[in-house]
């Protein structure tokens, strides 16, 4: 159910999602349970994190699609991207957490961190930023991709916050352009 968390984490802070996740997973412990959920009930669980109607629709559509495919996610990114509620971030999450394949999860936080540290951003739209994707894949899409993605997401949450980063102890500090310029 890691993929469910990743779907919920889009456009939402980890602390906010963490507030509902235990109860959510207790009520919907599997994709099968989620595929049989009633829309209104699902919405009620999602109200505290916002965008509940849209999220409920997306999750339900994804769970039902998965049910129709025998609860097996496709391996290929292109095919995954054709599924409901699956963009590049969720497709990468499926590859990493379901199939154990290397991929890079790139959300706003990861883009912010890599943009600050390496000044790699070439596009505002994360999806269109090839340089960002290549850099993220160079860091996260190797052996131990799951742990590497978790580590980077953890650094974003602990250190590279949107307004004022907390750079002490950040493992990217040694190469970080943001710090160099601030000195
Ligand atoms: S050193 Fe600071 S600005 Fe650079 S990546 Fe780490 S937290 Fe972000």
């Amino acid at each position: 159910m890691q993929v469910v968390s990743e779907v919920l984490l889009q456009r939402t802070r980890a602390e906010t999602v963490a507030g509902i996740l235990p109860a959510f997973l207790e009520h919907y412990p599997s994709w099968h349970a989620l595929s049989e959920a009633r829309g209104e009930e699902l919405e009620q669980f999602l109200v505290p994190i916002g965008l509940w109607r849209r999220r409920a629709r997306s999750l339900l559509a994804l769970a039902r699609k998965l049910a129709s495919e025998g609860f097996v996610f496709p391996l290929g990114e292109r095919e995954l991207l054709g599924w409901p509620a699956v963009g590049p971030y969720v497709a990468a999450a499926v590859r990493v957490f379901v199939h154990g394949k290397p991929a890079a999860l790139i959300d706003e936080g990861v883009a912010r961190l890599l943009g600050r540290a390496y000044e790699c951003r070439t596009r505002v739209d994360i999806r269109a930023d090839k340089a960002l994707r290549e850099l993220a894949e160079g860091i996260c899409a190797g052996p131990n991709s799951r742990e590497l993605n978790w580590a980077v997401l953890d650094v974003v949450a602990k250190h590279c916050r949107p307004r004022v980063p907390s750079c002490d102890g950040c493992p990217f500090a040694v190469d970080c352009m943001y710090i160099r310029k601030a000195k």
Side-chain angles (χ1 to χ4, degrees), residues 28 33-44 56 60 64:
Y28 304 110
L34 205 45
S35 71
E36 295 188 336
R38 286 190 303 112
E40 283 177 14
E41 187 182 68
L42 188 54
E43 284 179 14
Q44 288 310 307
L60 210 46
R64 287 177 179 166

Side-chain angles (χ1 to χ4, degrees), residues 34-64:
L34 205 45
S35 71
E36 295 188 336
R38 286 190 303 112
E40 283 177 14
E41 187 182 68
L42 188 54
E43 284 179 14
Q44 288 310 307
F45 272 96
L46 300 175
V47 165
I49 65 171
L51 303 171
W52 58 91
R53 285 205 182 94
R54 202 161 91 196
R55 288 184 208 269
R57 256 199 320 272
S58 296
L59 266 178
L60 210 46
L62 179 56
R64 287 177 179 166

Side-chain angles (χ1 to χ4, degrees), residues 49-123:
I49 65 171
L51 303 171
W52 58 91
R53 285 205 182 94
R54 202 161 91 196
R55 288 184 208 269
R57 256 199 320 272
S58 296
L59 266 178
L60 210 46
L62 179 56
R64 287 177 179 166
K65 171 70 176 166
L66 189 58
S68 75
E69 300 288 337
F71 295 100
V72 178
F73 280 106
L75 186 56
E77 185 185 26
R78 190 176 296 180
E79 196 180 342
L80 276 167
L81 289 174
W83 280 38
V86 177
Y89 183 87
V90 173
V94 169
R95 286 181 58 77
V96 171
F97 298 122
V98 176
H99 296 300
K101 298 287 181 189
L105 279 71
I106 309 170
D107 64 3
E108 290 291 340
V110 172
R112 178 174 62 249
L113 183 155
L114 297 180
R116 281 174 173 164
Y118 301 108
E119 295 191 340
C120 61
R121 300 296 308 273
T122 56
R123 299 286 192 89

